[in-house]
């Protein structure tokens, strides 16, 4: 029986894939499978993965004929996964030896739907620790209770899918798939849905995932139209939260977070090409007009002056009815 499936998407990461695969080899067990998804890479990644499929114990290789993005690649991996538990790793990151065994042991002892963990940020040779914003460790908690308060960093602001382990019952309840086709911020609707609808979770202090920053091919480094998918992602968060029984309590958090992300991208608008920057402003203005206006007003009043001024200016920007409703 497969106890754990680790879903690992790859796209044009020939420089980093060998490190990722070596780390998987250091986590191999008879009851662990590694679902490697080649998202139609055009560099040397496919050859590296073909070799891994022969040499890595538990490797299962899936190839996409067209590039679909991280969300779609993860979904392909989930569809093929056979494990009782599921985990993720990105094709340019790596895991410490025995990391997944530690998470699996914690999840089985706690008996909850999912566990979340800290991670190490790797920028060149520099290392720093990023803690999951959950103070109580090794204790089973109610996921919905970890969404608030609105004005503080909470579990939904720590969306990294690879920073955790998930029981298969979440997959059976359709809570682990990502919104197909989202090119960025795909983990935002995912983490909100998980915390709204799962029944139990826990945080553990395990430092076994190394998240590589500064990768040239990463979408965090690319300022093109794909970056604007964050608007579609957060629109989904708002739309789903509106229909939640606790909408009155949860919407202020969703709106405030959406506003913060809009402000972040527009404050750095100079890194976008002019056409993309113009589209960003227009789409941001339309998004602000779609939000519940009373909650938006409260959010703006509670934010720092620089972000509030930027967002109010965007809010006043003329937008056609068709774009505002999109």
């Amino acid at each position: 029986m497969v106890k754990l499936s680790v879903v690992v998407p790859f796209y044009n990461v020939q420089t980093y894939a060998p490190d990722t695969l070596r780390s998987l080899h250091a986590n191999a067990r008879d009851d662990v499978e590694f679902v490697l998804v080649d998202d139609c890479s055009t560099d040397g990644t496919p050859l590296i993965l073909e070799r891994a499929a022969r040499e890595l114990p538990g490797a299962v290789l899936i190839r996409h004929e067209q590039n679909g993005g991280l969300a779609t690649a993860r979904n392909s991996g989930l569809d093929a996964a056979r494990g009782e538990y599921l985990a993720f790793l990105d094709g340019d990151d790596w895991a410490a030896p025995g990391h997944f065994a530690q998470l699996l042991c914690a999840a089985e002892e706690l008996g909850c739907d999912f566990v979340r963990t800290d991670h190490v940020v790797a920028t060149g040779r520099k290392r720093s620790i990023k803690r999951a914003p959950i103070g109580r460790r090794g204790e089973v908690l109610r996921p919905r209770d970890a969404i608030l308060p609105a004005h503080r960093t909470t579990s939904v602001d720590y969306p990294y899918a690879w920073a955790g382990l998930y029981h298969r019952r979440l997959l059976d309840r359709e809570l682990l798939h990502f919104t197909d086709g989202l090119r960025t911020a795909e983990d935002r609707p995912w983490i909100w849905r998980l915390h709204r609808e799962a029944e139990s979770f826990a945080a553990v202090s395990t430092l076994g995932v190394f998240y590589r920053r500064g990768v040239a091919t990463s979408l965090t480094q690319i300022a093109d139209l794909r970056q604007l998918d964050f608007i579609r992602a957060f629109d989904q968060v708002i739309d789903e939260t509106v229909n939640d029984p606790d909408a009155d309590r949860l919407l202020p958090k969703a709106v405030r977070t959406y506003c913060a992300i809009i402000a972040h991208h527009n404050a750095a608008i100079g890194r976008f090409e002019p056409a993309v920057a113009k589209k960003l402003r227009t789409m941001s203005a339309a998004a602000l007009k779609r939000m519940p206006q009373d909650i938006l007003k409260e959010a703006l009043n509670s934010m720092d002056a620089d972000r509030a001024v930027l967002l109010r200016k965007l809010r006043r920007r003329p937008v056609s009815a068709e774009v505002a409703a999109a």
Side-chain angles (χ1 to χ4, degrees):
M1 184 182 72
V2 178
K3 175 64 72 172
L4 171 66
S5 298
V6 184
V7 175
V8 194
F10 295 82
Y11 177 64
N12 287 356
V13 287
Q14 63 179 14
T15 303
Y16 308 110
D19 289 342
T20 305
L21 293 164
R22 277 192 291 271
S23 80
L24 295 181
H25 206 286
N27 278 273
R29 302 188 343 183
D30 289 343
D31 57 353
V32 174
E33 69 173 4
F34 303 107
V35 185
L36 316 177
V37 184
D38 176 21
D39 194 21
C40 197
S41 298
T42 57
D43 63 355
T45 302
L47 291 177
I48 295 171
L49 294 181
E50 286 177 10
R51 180 176 178 180
R54 297 192 300 268
E55 299 180 356
L56 174 64
V60 177
L61 180 57
I62 297 172
R63 292 190 178 89
H64 282 180
E65 296 299 322
Q66 294 182 331
N67 176 258
L70 182 57
T72 301
R74 283 176 175 166
N75 287 344
S76 292
L78 288 171
D79 290 341
R82 298 174 296 158
E84 180 184 357
Y85 289 87
L86 301 109
F88 301 95
L89 190 69
D90 285 352
D92 50 9
D93 299 334
W94 73 95
H99 168 66
F100 293 112
Q102 282 185 290
L103 280 185
L104 189 58
C105 181
E108 291 186 312
E109 286 182 1
L110 291 162
C112 52
D113 284 344
F114 65 99
V115 296
R116 300 289 281 160
T117 187
D118 309 323
H119 69 274
V120 179
V121 179
T123 308
R125 294 181 179 273
K126 182 180 177 182
R127 302 288 184 269
S128 60
I129 295 173
K130 181 76 171 178
R131 300 288 185 188
I134 305 155
R136 295 155 66 182
R137 298 298 172 104
E139 181 179 346
V140 177
L141 306 170
R142 186 170 179 253
R144 180 175 290 263
D145 294 340
I147 296 174
L148 299 176
H151 63 282
R152 291 178 57 184
T153 299
T154 69
S155 290
V156 291
D157 303 309
Y158 188 80
Y160 316 106
W162 35 258
L165 192 79
Y166 314 91
H167 196 279
R168 187 174 194 88
R169 57 181 169 263
L170 295 173
L171 184 64
D172 295 338
R173 291 180 56 195
E174 300 183 356
L175 297 182
L176 287 187
H177 279 82
F178 297 80
T179 302
D180 198 51
L182 276 180
R183 296 283 180 165
T184 191
E186 76 291 328
D187 45 13
R188 296 292 185 153
W190 178 85
I191 194 70
W192 270 84
R193 185 174 63 248
L194 199 58
H195 274 276
R196 284 195 317 265
E197 300 188 27
E199 295 178 1
S200 60
F201 88 113
V204 295
S205 299
T206 302
L207 281 174
V209 174
F210 291 78
Y211 170 44
R212 197 189 300 270
R213 293 296 303 271
V215 178
T217 55
S218 170
L219 274 178
T220 59
Q221 303 295 312
I222 298 172
D224 63 16
L225 281 172
R226 290 173 292 179
Q227 282 283 357
L228 305 191
D229 265 8
F230 83 89
I231 290 179
R232 188 155 64 98
F234 274 96
D235 276 353
Q236 182 179 344
V237 171
I238 298 293
D239 290 345
E240 292 177 352
T241 305
V242 164
N243 294 316
D244 189 272
D246 290 329
D248 289 346
R249 294 177 56 248
L250 301 182
L251 272 174
K253 174 66 175 178
V255 168
R256 184 183 174 89
T257 305
Y258 198 173
C259 286
I261 301 297
I262 290 174
H264 168 77
H265 283 290
N266 279 272
I269 203 163
R271 72 190 186 98
F272 293 92
E273 292 294 323
V276 179
K278 181 179 179 180
K279 192 172 184 65
L280 170 60
R281 291 191 193 97
T282 300
M283 292 179 68
S284 297
L288 290 167
K289 295 180 190 302
R290 287 193 297 271
M291 295 181 197
Q293 294 300 296
D294 55 338
I295 298 176
L296 173 61
K297 182 179 179 180
E298 292 178 7
L300 295 180
N301 288 339
S302 67
M303 299 182 84
D304 61 88
D306 289 343
R307 289 192 296 178
V309 168
L310 186 157
L311 292 165
R312 288 189 176 106
K313 184 177 179 180
L314 280 171
R315 190 185 182 193
R316 293 192 297 269
R317 186 181 179 91
V319 176
S320 69
E322 181 180 356
V323 172

